[in-house]
Amino acid sequence: MKPVKKNISRPTGRAVLLAALLLGAVGCGGPDAFKVSEACGTKVDPDLIGQLLPRGEKLKTKDTFSEPKQPRCEFEVDGQDVVGLRGDVVEPFIKPLEINERTMLRLGNPMPADVGDGATISDHAAMAVQACTYNGEKSQYILVIDGVEDPKDTAERRRILEEFLRSQLPVAMAAEGCRP
């Protein structure tokens, strides 16, 4: 007759081993969020922008067609262009939120947000506008981020987009010399 202790410990041992394997698998998720501290020549909140980028192995930030009054950059993850970020200093009579209304509609459920002098957050992009003075002239600054697919939860993505606009708009304006 086999000892009872041995019969009990074998199933218990299997359960413990299975639990350890499952916990190990949970801990072996995909890559961590990227930490980006600068984009388009300005500092960015690494936690916010990192949440808006897809996970991957290799991140590349590249300036695209940047010039004074128009900083532009794109984020590339694993060889794919994923998120674009751009700023523009424009004349005060231009109405960027109206001009881009159709684009924001195409990007999913645009809703106004309380950022700057006005903002629109869609499912995959966000835009904010703020009046400013540039080289002694009345102007306005437009900040746009688009191509955003992460996080996958749309409500969370929209919340982070709004938080990003709120934190980045004054920083981008100051870097471009557009004073409120």
Side-chain angles (χ1 to χ4, degrees):
M1 176 178 220
K2 292 183 181 178
V4 173
K5 185 177 182 182
K6 219 176 201 182
N7 288 339
I8 293 173
S9 63
R10 203 172 257 171
T12 303
R14 285 186 196 134
V16 169
L17 179 60
L18 180 60
L21 288 172
L22 288 174
L23 287 174
V26 169
C28 294
D32 291 336
F34 290 110
K35 296 286 185 185
V36 180
S37 59
E38 187 176 309
C40 297
T42 62
K43 293 198 179 299
V44 293
D45 182 325
D47 293 326
L48 288 176
I49 195 71
Q51 292 178 67
L52 297 170
L53 297 170
R55 303 299 187 263
E57 297 300 321
K58 186 176 179 186
L59 173 70
K60 184 176 179 183
T61 305
K62 53 187 179 178
D63 287 337
T64 58
F65 308 113
S66 285
E67 59 184 56
K69 295 173 47 173
Q70 297 180 326
R72 309 252 185 287
C73 60
E74 288 189 9
F75 296 94
E76 181 182 284
V77 175
D78 297 339
Q80 299 287 321
D81 288 338
V82 289
V83 173
L85 182 62
R86 64 187 180 278
D88 284 295
V89 177
V90 298
E91 291 79 14
F93 59 84
I94 293 177
K95 299 188 184 308
L97 296 175
E98 289 177 23
I99 292 170
N100 290 297
E101 190 173 3
R102 281 188 156 171
T103 300
M104 294 302 273
L105 186 60
R106 183 179 47 79
L107 292 169
N109 305 309
M111 298 293 289
D114 186 23
V115 178
D117 290 333
T120 301
I121 310 289
S122 76
D123 291 346
H124 302 283
M127 170 189 287
V129 180
Q130 176 71 53
C132 63
T133 302
Y134 182 79
N135 288 340
E137 303 214 2
K138 289 187 179 203
S139 300
Q140 53 186 340
Y141 192 83
I142 306 164
L143 179 64
V144 178
I145 183 167
D146 60 13
V148 181
E149 299 292 328
D150 288 279
K152 297 303 180 198
D153 178 68
T154 304
E156 178 70 0
R157 183 180 334 120
R158 291 173 70 99
R159 183 193 66 73
I160 295 168
L161 281 166
E162 182 171 345
E163 195 175 333
F164 176 77
L165 285 182
R166 192 175 314 287
S167 75
Q168 192 62 28
L169 184 61
V171 174
M173 286 175 54
E176 203 56 41
C178 205
R179 308 283 175 237

